[in-house]
Amino acid sequence: MKKFLVALGIFMMSVAGIANAQEVNEQNPYELVQDVANRTFERIKANQAAIKADPEMLRTIMEEELVPHIDYKFAAFMVLGKHFKSVPQEKMGEYISVFRQYLVTTYAVAMGYYDNQEVIFEPESSFDDKKSVTVRAVVQDPNRPEIKIAFKVRKDSKTNEWKAYDMVAEGISMLNSKRSEFESILRQDGIDAVIALMRDKIGKPVELKQGEPIEIEGEAE
């Protein structure tokens, strides 16, 4: 299983010192990423004892703090790639719903790897005339090589709000990784097999894995 999204957990958990808790600013893609990370961290920090007793609580936190700021529908379509048109319309709603739960689980599992790292954000750039922006950062750990990460964020043309749709860790895109993982399954067995695969991963328990080595696998962009 590809584990590069472990970097997401490190990133989201390591911004405690950047800002105090605040409302998420979806009008600014750079502030969006930092605000969501900070709110998620504060929620986890306040519930550490409960999470140790029941790691499944991480799913609830991801559902309430992180996923509302992810364009999961766009991400779900992107993962289908060229197979988008071959998916029966009556299956599309189920696929998107399960993909959303799959993201919740993926992020919850990633949070189980936090081990006191620090993140350095790139300076904000002008985005007034842009429809998509890449927010870059570097995760620093005194005991491991630094990790370059980035969030791809897009602007909704109707609401003018920004939402994240992809994460790239050390050049490896989550969307490209999942597209590669699902492509052969879609080609050979169809959308039902992909949905079954995601449901299987959703059904597995969330575990805390602090201190384990970080693995970043997959094909670089």
Side-chain angles (χ1 to χ4, degrees):
M1 177 182 177
K2 298 178 179 68
K3 296 182 179 179
F4 75 93
L5 276 181
V6 167
L8 172 65
I10 296 171
F11 169 76
M12 300 295 286
M13 294 289 289
S14 59
V15 297
I18 294 174
N20 295 323
Q22 54 186 297
E23 291 301 316
V24 173
N25 181 7
E26 291 193 326
Q27 304 300 315
N28 181 316
Y30 294 89
E31 290 186 16
L32 167 70
V33 173
Q34 296 187 50
D35 289 351
V36 171
N38 189 66
R39 287 169 63 93
T40 305
F41 171 83
E42 292 297 335
R43 179 83 176 272
I44 293 176
K45 182 179 179 181
N47 291 277
Q48 284 185 341
I51 291 170
K52 287 182 179 179
D54 181 16
E56 291 295 322
M57 188 176 183
L58 286 170
R59 292 190 208 255
T60 300
I61 296 175
M62 298 305 101
E63 177 75 39
E64 297 176 355
E65 303 292 351
L66 180 60
V67 175
H69 307 289
I70 294 177
D71 193 342
Y72 65 89
K73 291 183 180 179
F74 181 77
F77 294 150
M78 291 280 287
V79 166
L80 289 177
K82 64 182 181 181
H83 296 281
F84 173 79
K85 294 183 178 179
S86 66
V87 176
Q89 286 301 309
E90 63 270 20
K91 284 290 183 179
M92 190 61 76
E94 179 184 5
Y95 163 71
I96 292 174
S97 176
V98 175
F99 184 84
R100 185 181 187 280
Q101 294 176 314
Y102 181 69
L103 286 182
V104 170
T105 297
T106 299
Y107 297 145
V109 170
M111 288 298 181
Y113 284 84
Y114 171 62
D115 196 17
N116 197 32
Q117 290 81 9
E118 180 182 2
V119 67
I120 306 298
F121 287 93
E122 71 167 355
E124 179 178 320
S125 300
S126 175
F127 57 88
D128 290 341
D129 59 344
K130 296 182 179 180
K131 296 181 179 179
S132 64
V133 169
T134 300
V135 180
R136 294 181 172 85
V138 176
V139 177
Q140 296 183 339
D141 186 320
N143 300 314
R144 301 170 182 146
E146 67 179 25
I147 300 175
K148 295 179 181 179
I149 60 175
F151 277 96
K152 293 186 177 180
V153 192
R154 67 189 295 266
K155 188 176 183 179
D156 189 302
S157 59
K158 296 181 180 179
T159 65
N160 290 324
E161 294 178 341
W162 293 83
K163 289 185 183 293
Y165 68 92
D166 191 15
M167 177 191 170
V168 180
E170 289 297 315
I172 303 168
S173 158
M174 183 270 285
L175 291 188
N176 290 345
S177 177
K178 294 305 173 186
R179 185 186 298 126
S180 297
E181 181 181 354
F182 294 164
E183 200 279 331
S184 61
I185 301 174
L186 284 165
R187 185 178 65 252
Q188 297 176 17
D189 303 309
I191 193 65
D192 284 333
V194 170
I195 292 174
L197 173 65
M198 291 192 295
R199 287 192 187 280
D200 178 65
K201 293 183 179 180
I202 292 168
K204 293 179 179 179
V206 176
E207 299 178 352
L208 301 182
K209 302 178 180 180
Q210 292 96 326
E212 291 192 6
I214 303 168
E215 297 180 30
I216 302 180
E217 304 174 3
E219 298 181 359
E221 287 190 312

